[in-house]
Amino acid sequence: MEKIPDTGAKSRPASPMPSVAQKRERFVSRAKIVVFVLASLPFAALLLRAFQGDLGANPVEEITHVTGEWALRLLIVTLMITPLRHLIGAVWPTRLRRMLGLFAFFYLLMHFLTYAILDASLDPAYIVQDVIDRLYITAGFAAFLMLIPLAITSTNAMVRRMGPVRWRRLHRLAYPAAIAGALHFLWLVKADKGEPLIYASILALLLVARLPPLSRRLQALGNLRKTRLAAPKATP
Amino acid sequence: MLIRKRSSNPVLPSEITPQAVFESRRKFLQGSASIAGIAAGTGLGLLAPVRGEAAIAVDPEATGKDIESVVESAWRVDEELNSWSDITTYNNFYEFGTDKGDPARYADEFTPLPWTLEVGGECEKPGRIGYEEIIAPHRIEERIYRLRCVEAWSMVVPWVGISLGDLLNRFAPTSKAKYVAFRTVHRPEEMRGQRGGSLSWPYIEGLRIDEAMHPMTLLAIGIYGKMIPNQNGAPIRLVVPWKYGFKSIKSIASIEFVEKQPDTSWNLAASREYGFYSNVNPEVNHPRWSQARERRIGEFFKRDTLMFNGYAEEVGALYAGMDLAKNY
């Protein structure tokens, strides 16, 4: 960042003050970098631990747990975007959503591949049997299947080709996918349901926040905040 | 590609004579002048170190110390042993928390010695005995068994212990003793998992009397020739190698001979998933994990699970005529 003392007289037509739109663009692109780095960190840490032989006695299980947990966490963060946008009355959070969603899918893909290759030895019959026999695997597999079309149609070109209405309708699959993910975690735990219940509660909260009466109230709060910010500084 | 380092030592664990066995032999040689007669009689020197003041460390700091006078038993799986670190850092012992790392993390809050074991129920000589008294009359053996967890992973562990049947016989069980009920110590102040509700405490387990009396059933007091670490169930735990690991109850405070099949903790928690018998059986499907294969800790791909964890020859007769799918 440049630190040029603002004398006021310096503003020449050649280097105009950045417009509001330009400022917003710069903010969003910086936010994207931050999100990218943060969302990559768990994977980087996992790789580092793997190369150091620091994944414990059962590294395969550890990789499965870490990738699965981050897939669910990031999916939940993705679903926080809309309520956050309403609450703060700003559009920019939406521009981070695709990256978050794709990271969630990336972790889920790693999770699935670990299972398919190392647990199931890429044996389709074994996987099919698991999906049929074990409800938590049914749920996890369903979540994975639902997120595949969302990842494929995440590009701008696909949004254009599908049209915003159909695209948005398809991408509502994120809700059942997240619910299936939370159930997958809840059902696989043997005894201590504490952690999966935390995820399930946060998810439930985020879904409830989308019910029209609550969503309207959130938006009203956001609008209030926006008008207050936009209003000129009144009397001290 | 993940390549796990077993240890910096190029010698395979399976090639190493456990320290205690090594020392017990040396001790035998040192003491051979005075016990030459017995030694001559036994030839192999296996029985020599057993009787008398079996030199069991008794101070409260003893866990991790060497157990002396250990003899090799014939029960030795010829497979690569898991390392001390695998065996002592990857544990299911919900008394210390539900994470596999929790027992190693928090088990030092537990004081295993002095210890009292209460034995009662349908027997002629019930009693409360201390740690030394539990072990002293018995032959301390090293046995290398497979350990198969219901979660579809497994290890090979060099246990040190005594035959459970020999211990039980000292209390003269009566003909009414059809089953044996075991209970883990209940010390929420030392076992943080017991302050939560992941299971109902104290942990309870049970065996049929013939299972308990089977020569393979071990009351373990050590691993790799050392006193059993807290996270593995100090100071005494059960090892029933043909059953899923949760049957091998840890830190046993009480043993009771009973006439009716006793309750067991995991069966109470989820009866559809964990039966009373819980014999390792690749053919009986489990709602949570396929039991057809298992991951041997240290290996990447799964291997086939063996019937009765590979001990069908030894224990199959116990279940002759039983429907093992029904009695899971």
Side-chain angles (χ1 to χ4, degrees), chain A residues 108-120:
Chain A
L108 185 51
L109 184 65
M110 294 296 124
H111 182 67
F112 174 75
L113 288 177
T114 311
Y115 160 78
I117 298 171
L118 294 173
D119 277 354

Side-chain angles (χ1 to χ4, degrees), chain A residues 50-51 56-61 63 117-121 123 126 130 133-134 136 187-192, chain B residues 1-2 4 86 90 92 94 98 100 151 198 266 274 285-290 293 295 297-298 300-302:
Chain A
F51 281 113
N58 194 345
V60 177
E61 183 190 62
I63 293 168
I117 298 171
L118 294 173
D119 277 354
S121 312
D123 176 356
Y126 181 98
D130 244 3
D133 283 355
R134 284 166 256 283
Y136 77 97
W187 287 338
L188 76 87
V189 168
K190 272 162 77 184
D192 194 355
Chain B
M1 192 62 217
L2 306 166
R4 208 166 59 79
D86 285 346
Y90 190 75
N92 273 328
Y94 281 18
T98 54
K100 297 276 188 305
E151 297 166 350
S198 59
W266 277 106
Y274 313 99
N285 207 2
H286 186 279
R288 218 170 265 276
W289 307 275
S290 164
R293 295 188 221 168
R295 174 168 291 112
I297 295 303
F300 267 103
F301 293 98
K302 290 195 166 182

